[in-house]
Amino acid sequence: MTMTTILILQTGMMAAMMLVGGQPILIILVMRLIPCLTSALSNLDALGPSTLDVNDWAKGKAPSSSSLEEYVGMDYPKEMLLKAVKAIGYSHANEFLDLLTFKTLGNYPSMGNCFTPGCTPHDAADDDDIEFENLNDDDDAIDFANWSDDDDGIDFKNWDDDDNGAGETEVNSNGSSDEDFTQAMLEKDENIKSFVDAGFPEVRANMAITRGADDALFALLDSKNFSAREVMNKIFNSLKRRKEGRFMEESKKKRMRCGGEAQGNWLPLNGSDDELIVLPNPMVGFSLPNSMVQPVKRSLPEQAIGPPFFYYENVAQTPKGSWDIIKGELYGVEPEFLDSKYICATARKRGYIHNLPIENRSSLCLDPPKTIFEAFPHYRKWWPSWDSRKQLNCLTTCVPSSRLTELIECLLSVAENPPPPHVQKYVMALCRRYNLVWVGKNKVAHLEPHEMEYLLGFPRDHTRGLARKWRYKSLGNSFQVDTVTYHLSVLRNMFPDGIKVLSLFTGIGGGEVALHRLGIHMRIVVSVEISEVNKRILRSWWKQTQTGKLIQLPDVRTLTDDKIKSFIEKIGGFDLVIGGSPCNNLAGRNRFHRNGLEGEHSSLFYQYPRILNTVKSEMARMKHLAISLCCKPV
DNA sequence: AATACTCGGATAACATGC
DNA sequence: GCATGTTATCCGAGTATT
């Protein structure tokens, strides 16, 4: 049994104690950690006296001296702790201190036999050769300064180009300080209660929480004359809410059932279900490339049968009922839910509603890497054995703070190798949450934009030239190209003369890249995309790879029914309407307005069925007209 | 009941150009 | 100094699974 605790001694000394298999191994964790942090911070601004209070800390700002005092005890050198906290980021301060204090002991089912109070702190000056360089990974982004803006061959003259401010969001100040504070108090109360439950006087327990572990332990010892072991056991038992042994990351049961049925334990596809759509598990879609999964058979609702083919995409995990609305708007076609982790090295749970044939999908011409090491073999060098990830989580638009890297490096630098389970668990939670990879010794980092391009199936440097922020944003919002390629592969032999595409919410052109991969000639693509940077990306790629015609429109809302009709008249209809509407208020990461398809922001979604319906009915009308003209007696 | 996962948004801080 | 654009930092909850 491994256990780590930090004792903040009454003398102000801080010691970490590790008990391994009953053998007390005293490590001066904090006395190593603090100096190394301090040295790392030598180039940071000197820390002036703070006027912030404990509420600010809860909000992620700097803790005041007084609040730190409360936390660590009266005699603890505050400056050092302040520096340490600043180094790792205030938002992680609580977690950090939890790791250093006995709170983490709640993870452990039992304790060793004793603890050893008193140890000599290291001198900060002679400690540690660990250096923390500023991880300045600024990618020298190339600007489009010399970008040629001539739209040769593209006819924009009939289209107004006004960007009328799509996606405006209300300012929603969430004045959460009170809530944060209340939450902090609740947590504190819970901790106090656990002490009280263990049979200790509330006053003592309160002191234990607010002043530090050493005070707590000595106070408790003092109050009841318990032995150290008894005290610790009581604490552990009272903190048992955290399940015993849960911290050990069990090897996850593989859910991939090779002989299983496509779309997982899914509802029948006959449209007879009255209940809300339930996501299939495993999320394997109607079929998988190179797989033994039995493809499902489906019959499309009459209304959905083309032309044109349509292909709609959005996040799978939405507020309840959202997919039922989407399905209802798209002729009642059952969504195909597929997690791209079955196709590439990163998870991407998405729902696709389409009227494409699902038989005879061809395997991918380029088989994408399916594991992290296949995608990035060089990461194997630094990948710790206790990080069992084989694939990455969903690639999103946001980049975590670089302080996270620093925090993890700090923790691992002072820990044993391998680190104790609770540190492993903590680090792994961060790695999973922020999709971090190991790029050096104890050093994690977020993926670079070109790595995201690779994982998502785009050509390298597809988004190069944009500021990093825009690259991450555009890539995080895009298709997983290999997945879309697989679904669209059934079109390969259907359009020998090329295909005419209406591309809504084009983004950086995932659908277009997929068609190109399939060798399908795009005679014409009418692309609707509001973001100027995304339009530039597509235009650039188009010029390099395509000979067909690209028409770029600014906003789906400006694509009126009349314009659609005029387009269809000019080019003779579309073969494919493809696109995934914005997921802003569907996506799980959105804390501010995740109101499904109810809110004002969702109006964009409804543009997709409107446009599709107009295309469909106009094409049907033209077909009818043509037939009637043909059959007219001369 | 604990755990895991999620195409994000708001705002302050910082950088740049004038 | 100001306007504008980019980066850094900070924020939970809904849903599903175990």
Side-chain angles (χ1 to χ4, degrees):
Chain A
M1 200 60 63
T2 305
M3 178 177 66
T4 301
T5 185
I6 305 297
L7 302 176
I8 307 166
L9 304 178
Q10 279 179 320
T11 57
M13 293 184 295
M14 210 168 175
M17 184 178 63
M18 301 198 69
L19 302 171
V20 182
Q23 289 289 321
I25 300 172
L26 192 64
I27 63 162
I28 321 285
L29 175 57
V30 177
M31 299 318 293
R32 282 192 64 196
L33 179 57
I34 299 296
C36 83
L37 287 169
T38 310
S39 68
L41 285 160
S42 57
N43 56 348
L44 293 180
D45 296 341
L47 289 152
S50 172
T51 56
L52 298 167
D53 61 13
V54 71
N55 289 355
D56 293 320
W57 193 355
K59 286 186 292 184
K61 296 176 181 173
S64 68
S65 297
S66 60
S67 64
L68 281 175
E69 257 172 29
E70 283 179 21
Y71 205 97
V72 302
M74 297 294 285
D75 299 324
Y76 191 72
K78 286 171 284 185
E79 291 74 19
M80 284 173 116
L81 199 58
L82 271 170
K83 285 184 178 182
V85 168
K86 182 172 181 183
I88 62 169
Y90 302 120
S91 62
H92 301 297
N94 285 324
E95 295 163 84
F96 170 71
L97 290 167
D98 284 352
L99 274 175
L100 297 185
T101 61
F102 61 92
K103 256 176 101 174
T104 54
L105 296 176
N107 285 325
Y108 296 87
S110 66
M111 64 164 293
N113 53 358
C114 68
F115 67 92
T116 312
C119 72
T120 311
H122 273 202
D123 183 18
D126 60 10
D127 202 324
D128 248 327
D129 45 354
I130 304 165
E131 288 184 8
F132 296 90
E133 300 138 39
N134 281 338
L135 302 171
N136 194 353
D137 54 352
D138 286 347
D139 197 3
D140 40 356
I142 298 169
D143 283 335
F144 282 83
N146 298 320
W147 190 265
S148 111
D149 231 341
D150 54 331
D151 301 309
D152 41 351
I154 302 172
D155 178 18
F156 290 100
K157 61 179 179 286
N158 292 326
W159 308 98
D160 44 11
D161 217 347
D162 53 335
D163 287 357
N164 46 359
E168 282 175 11
T169 53
E170 297 164 16
V171 176
N172 186 2
S173 66
N174 68 338
S176 59
S177 59
D178 288 344
E179 288 168 23
D180 290 341
F181 183 68
T182 306
Q183 184 58 33
M185 288 300 102
L186 284 172
E187 281 172 13
K188 181 181 157 187
D189 286 346
E190 195 181 333
N191 286 337
I192 290 172
K193 189 169 181 299
S194 62
F195 275 88
V196 175
D197 290 344
F200 299 116
E202 186 169 355
V203 172
R204 297 288 188 176
N206 198 348
M207 191 194 338
I209 298 298
T210 55
R211 292 195 55 196
D214 61 328
D215 280 342
L217 294 175
F218 285 120
L220 296 170
L221 277 169
D222 182 48
S223 67
K224 288 212 169 180
N225 292 324
F226 287 125
S227 72
R229 185 191 179 98
E230 286 169 324
V231 170
M232 295 303 282
N233 274 333
K234 280 181 179 293
I235 293 172
F236 287 129
N237 291 334
S238 65
L239 288 171
K240 238 177 184 175
R241 265 181 240 108
R242 302 176 190 189
K243 289 273 170 65
E244 294 185 6
R246 278 279 183 89
F247 59 89
M248 288 296 284
E249 200 71 42
E250 295 284 345
S251 61
K252 287 193 172 176
K253 296 169 196 164
K254 296 297 170 198
R255 305 188 52 82
M256 186 69 163
R257 293 181 229 147
C258 280
E261 217 174 298
Q263 197 68 285
N265 49 355
W266 180 226
L267 297 171
L269 295 181
N270 55 13
S272 63
D273 53 304
D274 293 320
E275 295 169 6
L276 289 179
I277 287 175
V278 178
L279 296 180
N281 182 18
M283 198 180 281
V284 292
F286 295 157
S287 67
L288 288 175
N290 307 314
S291 166
M292 295 162 67
V293 174
Q294 191 69 32
V296 301
K297 294 191 185 334
R298 68 163 178 177
S299 52
L300 285 167
E302 189 69 29
Q303 282 183 303
I305 296 170
F309 286 117
F310 65 90
Y311 188 81
Y312 172 85
E313 180 256 18
N314 216 320
V315 291
Q317 292 167 332
T318 62
K320 278 183 178 171
S322 299
W323 271 106
D324 299 87
I325 295 173
I326 296 170
K327 172 186 164 186
E329 293 289 326
L330 295 172
Y331 315 113
V333 176
E334 292 296 338
E336 175 172 12
F337 290 105
L338 173 58
D339 188 341
S340 292
K341 74 177 181 182
Y342 297 113
I343 290 182
C344 67
T346 176
R348 206 166 185 81
K349 296 183 182 68
R350 296 293 180 269
Y352 305 86
I353 291 187
H354 60 83
N355 62 349
L356 297 163
I358 58 174
E359 299 82 22
N360 302 321
R361 287 169 167 172
S362 37
S363 294
L364 303 162
C365 19
L366 295 171
D367 207 19
K370 284 199 180 58
T371 65
I372 298 170
F373 290 155
E374 282 177 34
F376 309 114
H378 56 291
Y379 289 156
R380 196 188 292 270
K381 181 177 178 186
W382 302 111
W383 208 272
S385 59
W386 43 271
D387 182 347
S388 59
R389 288 177 299 163
K390 298 285 181 288
Q391 293 184 300
L392 292 164
N393 281 338
C394 184
L395 304 182
T396 62
T397 61
C398 42
V399 187
S401 160
S402 60
R403 286 183 188 277
L404 212 54
T405 298
E406 206 172 345
L407 164 66
I408 289 171
E409 200 168 358
C410 274
L411 280 173
L412 296 181
S413 297
V414 297
E416 289 180 327
N417 189 17
H422 72 286
V423 174
Q424 286 183 23
K425 184 189 175 188
Y426 178 72
V427 171
M428 284 314 303
L430 292 174
C431 287
R432 287 201 170 92
R433 184 176 169 85
Y434 296 103
N435 244 352
L436 306 173
V437 291
W438 297 93
V439 298
K441 188 182 180 186
N442 297 331
K443 180 179 169 183
V444 292
H446 188 260
L447 293 170
E448 289 293 313
H450 72 85
E451 293 172 324
M452 284 177 66
E453 283 169 351
Y454 180 48
L455 291 171
L456 290 170
F458 287 94
R460 179 159 182 147
D461 293 339
H462 187 71
T463 60
R464 191 79 181 263
L466 304 183
R468 285 169 73 86
K469 165 190 155 182
W470 293 109
R471 295 184 75 181
Y472 283 124
K473 190 173 170 66
S474 297
L475 287 162
N477 283 325
S478 78
F479 286 163
Q480 205 289 323
V481 173
D482 304 291
T483 307
V484 177
T485 301
Y486 177 59
H487 290 160
L488 297 183
S489 63
V490 293
L491 300 175
R492 204 190 323 233
N493 299 320
M494 284 189 195
F495 301 97
D497 297 329
I499 193 170
K500 291 173 288 185
V501 181
L502 175 56
S503 174
L504 306 176
F505 311 104
T506 304
I508 54 176
E512 287 76 3
V513 174
L515 288 167
H516 178 61
R517 280 268 183 83
L518 289 163
I520 299 174
H521 171 57
M522 286 167 273
R523 284 168 59 191
I524 185 163
V525 170
V526 175
S527 159
V528 191
E529 169 60 39
I530 198 166
S531 159
E532 277 305 320
V533 294
N534 286 346
K535 284 161 75 175
R536 250 164 50 191
I537 295 297
L538 180 67
R539 203 153 60 223
S540 163
W541 174 82
W542 188 271
K543 283 175 181 172
Q544 290 169 42
T545 61
Q546 302 299 308
T547 55
K549 186 170 181 178
L550 173 67
I551 299 173
Q552 291 184 295
L553 307 179
D555 187 345
V556 284
R557 286 166 296 195
T558 66
L559 185 56
T560 60
D561 291 352
D562 284 344
K563 283 182 181 175
I564 296 168
K565 287 172 187 170
S566 126
F567 243 126
I568 291 173
E569 223 166 86
K570 270 190 222 168
I571 66 174
F574 292 101
D575 303 310
L576 174 66
V577 178
I578 186 170
S581 64
C583 65
N584 304 33
N585 29 356
L586 297 172
R589 292 296 289 272
N590 191 343
R591 302 179 300 114
F592 290 90
H593 25 76
R594 192 187 180 198
N595 48 3
L597 295 169
E598 298 300 322
E600 183 188 340
H601 299 289
S602 302
S603 61
L604 281 175
F605 159 72
Y606 291 99
Q607 299 295 322
Y608 187 98
R610 174 185 69 81
I611 292 170
L612 175 60
N613 211 35
T614 305
V615 170
K616 206 170 179 58
S617 55
E618 185 63 13
M619 285 177 70
R621 193 183 68 81
M622 282 183 66
K623 186 181 173 186
H624 187 71
L625 196 65
I627 290 172
S628 61
L629 282 173
C630 266
C631 300
K632 225 176 196 176
V634 184

